[in-house]
Amino acid sequence: MAVRTYLSAALSAVLLVLLTLLVPFSALAAWVDLELDDSDRYLAAVSPLASDPGVRDTVATLVTDEAMKNIDVGPLQDTVEEFLGDTARSFTTTEAFQKAWDGANRTAHQAVTAALHGDDGQAVTIDLAPVIERVKRELMDEGVPFADLIPVRHTTITLLSADRADELRTSFRWLRYCSVWPAVGTAVLLVLVVGLVFVRRGVRGGLLATAVAGVGFVLGAVLLRVALAVGRSRLLEQVPGPGSDRDGAAAVYDALTASLRTTVWAVLAVGLLLVVCGTAGRFVAARRTAGR
């Protein structure tokens, strides 16, 4: 009896540890392969950022700063800078800006792929030159003073420094290679282990395994959420800031990891459901046994 109890405890501990580690690994592997590597899904994630106030302010500030490098109007410098800033910020609310933003990010996705899967370290950036060119053309068409002095050069928002890309490259290659198979393996493991316990140890043993699996899912969801928070913090530490670059990088990171944060809540809900079902089922079974 003592041996069976020991084996049951050991099996529960192994199941708990495996699920705690497999859940975040599975979610990250599927995310890299299905979303981060897919240009259409990448664009779908970051396209709505064109309406994000932080991103709009970032773009307007960069456009204005670049323009003011070529403008010298003496005591009117501050007035002209404020005027250009307001005008550029107004442009970021238009459909033309949305199209320019989408084009810049489609190109940025190529940089993401090259940085994370290539051989040479390079920073991941969003090149705002196409956006600035569109802003300049629109402002000139509207007759905005000094708009023709806005230089169209490679002005970027840094999303990932070259050093950080080097650190992540090997991990991302493994995650991409694994794809959705860790998630499939996790589901198969859960069904096999819990099913085996139901067959070998009966209903009460199976319900215990179900509750343990639920705890594993909950811990895995917590671990994934912590990993996302740590990843965000470390990424932003290496972005020049605390100015517009960091604000833009934070907005893009949050947009790209939105599906992972949703996964955290989904896995947490499933885990809690398994814990409740397993615990309540054992309680009911124990009451019936006592009644008999």
Side-chain angles (χ1 to χ4, degrees), residues 80-97:
V80 172
E81 182 175 0
E82 182 179 356
F83 172 73
L84 280 178
D86 291 341
T87 305
R89 195 167 290 105
S90 177
F91 171 75
T92 61
T93 63
T94 65
E95 184 180 351
F97 172 72

Side-chain angles (χ1 to χ4, degrees), residues 46-56 92-93 97-98 101:
V46 299
S47 180
L49 290 178
S51 60
D52 182 271
V55 171
R56 287 177 174 176
T92 61
T93 63
F97 172 72
Q98 177 72 65
W101 174 258

Side-chain angles (χ1 to χ4, degrees), residues 42 104 107-127 156-169 235 238-240 245 249:
Y42 177 95
T107 302
H109 181 257
Q110 298 174 4
V112 172
T113 303
L116 296 179
H117 304 306
D119 296 324
D120 298 325
Q122 54 183 307
V124 177
T125 61
I126 297 178
D127 185 4
T156 61
I157 296 177
T158 301
L159 303 181
L160 192 63
S161 67
D163 292 341
R164 189 75 181 121
D166 284 337
E167 294 174 6
L168 293 175
R169 186 173 295 110
L235 182 147
Q238 299 193 27
V239 174
D245 261 19

